[in-house]
Amino acid sequence: MSNKNCILIIEDEATIRNFMSNSLTANGYKTITAKDGQQALVMISSYRPDVILLDLGLPDMDGMNIIKSVREWSLVPIIVVSARGMETDKVKALDLGADDYVTKPFGTSELLARIRSALRHWQMRKDSNIAEMGSFKSGDLEIDFDKRRVTVRGEVVHLTQNEYKIVAILSKYAGKVMTYDYIIKEIWGPYTKGDNQILRVNMANIRRKIEDNPSEPRYIITEVGVGYRMTEEDE
Ligand code: CA
């Protein structure tokens, strides 16, 4: 992957903005910064960054409006930078089309992992329309999409149809958090009431079948109050 990717950092707090910019520059990225929403919108259209890091709490506008506005014309990856305890904001941002989020305070390695993941997904989307990938691998977990078969260390795992569909969706978007609502609508249809209970039951069964220790999952991570994330091979 090219290290010349350009990252736009939208953040009103100078300390955080500089920290992020310095960390990313040190890791081979080019960075540009905006301290408010107006400036950000101008920079997005004139510089066409490869990834946008977006603080939701900006002085002149709600960061949600930036997501809406950008999604009208571009699929550039948007990673929301959000304060802890703002789960409803995270869900709303993801549903508006943000790709991911990091929670403040965060470390450089987490930020870099989220950026790599976003760039990878974007590249995949540009290369193909994520035509069926054929197979997926993370650690000892393998999924063969053609055969609809899941194995752990070569042993076939017997999943119900819905359990398989959940695992397949999460692995297709590995590294990206999928909201409870999104998964429920994908599996049980658009008119399903947003009840997480049935999804939680399915997830408990999936974890019992694929995880060595279901209470400390290694493959499917819970993002509390938001959804689930399948881990990528390099995580
Ligand atoms: Ca802020």
Side-chain angles (χ1 to χ4, degrees):
M1 190 183 299
S2 160
N3 274 345
K4 296 281 168 57
N5 284 303
C6 174
I7 318 281
L8 170 61
I9 300 163
I10 309 171
E11 169 66 65
D12 58 314
E13 283 177 57
T15 336
I16 303 176
R17 197 168 62 231
N18 293 336
F19 161 72
M20 291 168 86
S21 182
N22 292 337
S23 316
L24 296 179
T25 309
N27 282 278
Y29 291 104
K30 179 177 177 230
T31 62
I32 49 177
T33 60
K35 60 185 189 327
D36 60 41
Q38 280 307 333
Q39 197 186 3
L41 289 172
V42 171
M43 294 186 90
I44 293 165
S45 55
S46 46
Y47 290 92
R48 304 291 171 102
D50 298 298
V51 174
I52 296 172
L53 298 175
L54 172 65
D55 172 33
L56 289 178
L58 295 171
D60 61 337
M61 69 173 74
D62 185 341
M64 299 288 179
N65 291 329
I66 295 185
I67 303 174
K68 273 189 236 169
S69 156
V70 170
R71 280 294 171 264
E72 284 171 11
W73 62 276
S74 169
L75 289 173
V76 56
I78 300 175
I79 301 173
V80 163
V81 179
S82 152
R84 201 168 289 284
M86 304 295 276
E87 272 69 26
T88 48
D89 275 358
K90 292 173 188 169
V91 172
K92 191 178 166 198
L94 292 168
D95 286 341
L96 279 174
D99 294 81
D100 208 342
Y101 62 81
V102 286
T103 304
K104 290 179 193 171
F106 52 83
T108 305
S109 57
E110 187 189 354
L111 182 64
L112 291 169
R114 301 272 72 84
I115 290 172
R116 279 197 306 272
S117 172
L119 284 168
R120 192 155 47 226
H121 288 134
W122 200 31
Q123 195 55 49
M124 271 162 59
R125 203 151 52 192
K126 282 195 285 190
D127 288 348
S128 64
N129 293 318
I130 317 187
E132 282 313 316
M133 294 186 294
S135 68
F136 169 82
K137 196 173 182 313
S138 175
D140 296 320
L141 175 75
E142 270 189 83
I143 303 164
D144 182 325
F145 295 109
D146 300 325
K147 294 180 181 154
R148 295 173 70 90
R149 195 174 66 181
V150 176
T151 54
V152 175
R153 283 180 218 97
E155 298 271 334
V156 174
V157 177
H158 296 283
L159 298 176
T160 66
Q161 204 165 17
N162 283 340
E163 288 166 6
Y164 173 79
K165 282 199 230 164
I166 294 168
V167 172
I169 288 173
L170 290 169
S171 55
K172 192 165 155 184
Y173 296 99
K176 176 175 166 152
V177 59
M178 309 306 289
T179 64
Y180 297 124
D181 216 40
Y182 179 88
I183 301 168
I184 289 167
K185 286 187 163 59
E186 284 291 305
I187 308 292
W188 288 281
Y191 304 109
T192 313
K193 280 234 193 85
D195 173 13
N196 296 348
Q197 182 58 25
I198 186 165
L199 180 57
R200 276 203 297 273
V201 170
N202 275 268
M203 188 53 70
N205 290 331
I206 292 168
R207 282 180 171 152
R208 201 166 37 73
K209 295 175 185 180
I210 67 169
E211 301 281 357
D212 292 335
N213 181 0
S215 58
E216 278 176 47
R218 163 183 174 199
Y219 301 117
I220 300 175
I221 309 299
T222 300
E223 299 284 340
V224 177
V226 181
Y228 298 107
R229 186 200 302 270
M230 175 73 84
T231 53
E232 288 178 288
E233 197 152 18
D234 69 342
E235 284 189 85

